Amino acid sequence: MTSTRIPDDDTLLDDTADPRPGLRDYLAVKRAALLARRKNADGPDVPATTLRARTTAEDRSGVRRIRIREHTVLSDSPADFAGYDLGPSSPELQLGVLSSCLTHIYLIQAADLRIPLDALEVAVEAEHDGRAGTPGFEDVPVHPHNIRFTVYVTSPVPRGRIDELHAAVERSCPIYHLLREPQQVTGEVVHTLSGGPAGEDTR
């Protein structure tokens, strides 16, 4: 693997005329934010963060309204599955989350390694069979499987530096590791009796 010497200052490489506007400037801003966050995160007293999401099934339509902080994302089914196609399905959202996370970590690591990028796109694909678990398809996974991604990068640096960037992304991308490594998932059900006193449940 070849490597190009990185300057010791905090500037990004910018040795190509007329780069695509915006992305290199963004990486410089991202690097400053990364260094500030890294400085603020020093020390053993910095607490872990609890991430939260809540989804409500809308009356009549069944559309899933996902609420994350102050943001709302709609998830829906296509028309042939009693939906209105107002948003992607949950398996599609999962692939989108992986694509988004890989893209973001590419930007973070490019800023950290001072690798200029002029264009970046991550495409993700997977197989998903709705017949999974039914007679004759018992061995087909119910989840999206055979997940694969392709990263399209435009950059003036040699391929060896892009390989270095990719390795750094695979080491640090949280959703990539979430999907590749075993996870503990626990759950409970809170049952509220229809027509009963508000808040009554049979937990």
Side-chain angles (χ1 to χ4, degrees):
M1 178 183 297
T2 61
S3 179
T4 301
R5 171 68 178 169
I6 300 299
D8 292 330
D9 58 27
D10 285 337
T11 60
L12 288 166
L13 292 175
D14 192 7
D15 55 3
T16 300
D18 299 322
R20 175 175 292 191
L23 199 50
R24 295 198 197 185
D25 289 343
Y26 170 77
L27 289 177
V29 174
K30 193 69 167 181
R31 177 172 173 79
L34 174 64
L35 295 176
R37 173 172 285 204
R38 189 173 288 163
K39 180 179 180 181
N40 293 334
D42 288 343
D45 297 328
V46 178
T49 301
T50 299
L51 305 177
R52 293 182 174 87
R54 181 181 291 257
T55 299
T56 303
E58 296 293 306
D59 292 344
R60 300 184 180 180
S61 70
V63 171
R64 283 85 68 191
R65 189 177 296 273
I66 306 167
R67 294 180 176 85
I68 302 171
R69 291 189 285 121
E70 303 303 320
H71 308 289
T72 299
V73 179
L74 292 182
S75 178
D76 196 9
S77 303
D80 65 357
F81 202 26
Y84 296 88
D85 207 16
L86 296 177
S89 67
S90 298
E92 291 171 325
L93 281 172
Q94 180 60 74
L95 297 189
V97 168
L98 175 60
S99 176
S100 173
C101 194
L102 285 167
T103 301
H104 188 208
I105 302 303
Y106 251 90
L107 294 171
I108 292 172
Q109 292 300 325
D112 198 22
L113 296 171
R114 291 181 231 165
I115 295 176
L117 303 179
D118 293 326
L120 174 64
E121 182 178 355
V122 178
V124 178
E125 294 182 345
E127 311 306 327
H128 188 231
D129 195 331
R131 301 168 296 178
T134 62
F137 298 90
E138 293 87 354
D139 295 332
V140 176
V142 298
H143 55 273
H145 53 284
N146 297 332
I147 300 172
R148 60 241 180 228
F149 66 89
T150 304
V151 183
Y152 300 92
V153 178
T154 302
S155 174
V157 301
R159 177 56 189 249
R161 300 239 51 220
I162 299 301
D163 291 340
E164 177 187 358
L165 173 60
H166 184 72
V169 169
E170 289 199 338
R171 284 195 303 270
S172 59
C173 181
I175 302 302
Y176 176 78
H177 284 276
L178 176 70
L179 294 174
R180 286 181 55 90
E181 299 169 10
Q183 303 297 323
Q184 178 180 354
V185 180
T186 61
E188 63 173 329
V189 176
V190 177
H191 174 204
T192 299
L193 292 172
S194 299
E200 179 180 354
D201 68 67
T202 59
R203 205 170 8 175

